[in-house]
Amino acid sequence: MNDIKVAVLGSEGVGKSALIVRFLTRRFIGEYASSSECIYRKRMSIDGRQLNLELYDPCSQPCEGKSTLNEQIHWADGFVVVYDISDRSSFLTAKAIVHLIRELHLGGSKRDADSVIFLVGNKQDLCHMREVDREEGQKLASEGRCQFYELSAAEHYQEVVLMFSKIVRNASLGGKAKERRRRPSGSKSMAKLINNVFGKRRKSV
Ligand SMILES: Nc1nc2c(ncn2[C@@H]2O[C@H](COP(=O)(O)OP(=O)(O)OP(=O)(O)O)[C@@H](O)[C@H]2O)c(=O)[nH]1
């Protein structure tokens, strides 16, 4: 069975965990653990093929054994680079990450690389507080040769599922069946994911 590794990257509070939890559990809960990096696993069927998906959710806080962004990039087959449309600084971080991925992610053909970086402007429901125009996102995506999505983990379940399904499909088709690399860090079961959702430091929306 194919193993597909997808890293969800971006600055603190952009909604990386919210997107992952939404995809894996259908739920948007509002507060998520941030104290450790983790990998979530899901068995999926794409085009009749069984895949083991590993989704990497980094920790924005300093934490024990934390992997570097370079390690995360080398580990992954596909990348979801997230920013918050109501936070310009998160967009600048996303831009830097996209450029770094392009620099470091040298395996595979050009076509493969083009289809496995997704740029996601999250929190579209906060468009009344928008600091990043949709056009700016599209421009960065075209410069970085990424696919572009603007969505809301809070409100757009179907779009979130579609986006993750597409990157998994693209990564699995990329012919980048890489030799298995070192995992960025520990892994987490679904039960742990659910447990992590409650009693976290609060973040404002
Ligand atoms: N309004 C709105 N809030 C969101 C959305 N997605 C996430 N949030 C909120 O944004 C805050 C941060 O979400 P997280 O999923 O913890 O963000 P993160 O990127 O994982 O943050 P770190 O773990 O600190 O890196 C939480 O309060 C979420 O409820 C969204 O689509 N809309």
Side-chain angles (χ1 to χ4, degrees):
M1 201 179 302
N2 238 340
D3 288 343
I4 302 299
K5 298 172 187 299
V6 174
V8 182
L9 305 174
S11 53
E12 183 178 349
V14 293
K16 300 180 295 295
S17 305
L19 286 163
I20 292 172
V21 170
R22 191 68 148 140
F23 172 58
L24 295 178
T25 71
R26 303 178 72 102
R27 297 193 290 171
F28 177 75
I29 294 148
E31 301 301 327
Y32 305 89
S34 299
S35 56
S36 62
E37 56 183 359
C38 49
I39 295 171
Y40 301 111
R41 296 201 166 81
K42 180 181 172 70
R43 192 167 280 204
M44 292 179 71
S45 172
I46 298 265
D47 304 330
R49 285 173 304 134
Q50 293 297 312
L51 303 171
N52 285 322
L53 170 63
E54 292 189 0
L55 270 178
Y56 174 65
D57 185 3
C59 171
S60 302
Q61 313 297 311
C63 58
E64 208 182 311
K66 185 172 172 163
S67 59
T68 65
L69 184 56
N70 283 23
E71 285 172 332
Q72 295 157 16
I73 291 172
H74 283 300
W75 171 84
D77 302 306
F79 306 89
V80 177
V81 180
V82 186
Y83 65 92
D84 170 353
I85 66 155
S86 67
D87 174 6
R88 170 150 292 274
S89 72
S90 73
F91 180 67
L92 300 179
T93 303
K95 192 175 199 166
I97 294 173
V98 166
H99 288 144
L100 189 63
I101 294 171
R102 295 230 61 99
E103 227 175 276
L104 297 179
H105 200 65
L106 302 173
S109 68
K110 177 181 162 303
R111 190 209 143 273
D112 293 340
D114 288 356
S115 56
V116 295
I117 309 173
F118 283 18
L119 178 68
V120 173
N122 187 37
K123 307 197 188 181
Q124 202 192 36
D125 55 295
L126 300 182
C127 57
H128 52 286
M129 296 161 61
R130 184 188 278 281
E131 289 185 0
V132 185
D133 290 335
R134 188 184 173 85
E135 293 67 32
E136 290 178 89
Q138 283 168 328
K139 184 163 175 277
L140 171 58
S142 104
E143 275 167 20
R145 303 203 295 276
C146 316
Q147 303 210 9
F148 179 65
Y149 291 81
E150 224 187 52
L151 46 74
S152 161
E155 293 187 351
H156 300 155
Y157 171 68
Q158 291 299 343
E159 284 86 341
V160 171
V161 170
L162 216 84
M163 184 274 292
F164 277 111
S165 303
K166 194 161 178 204
I167 195 156
V168 173
R169 175 180 287 110
N170 289 0
S172 73
L173 292 175
K176 275 177 89 279
K178 299 171 179 171
E179 76 290 357
R180 287 295 117 201
R181 294 133 298 195
R182 193 175 81 75
R183 274 207 316 252
S185 182
S187 64
K188 264 200 181 125
S189 67
M190 197 69 137
K192 246 182 167 175
L193 185 157
I194 305 285
N195 288 340
N196 262 350
V197 161
F198 301 100
K200 305 310 166 356
R201 76 190 161 82
R202 300 202 58 85
K203 300 176 190 171
S204 57
V205 183

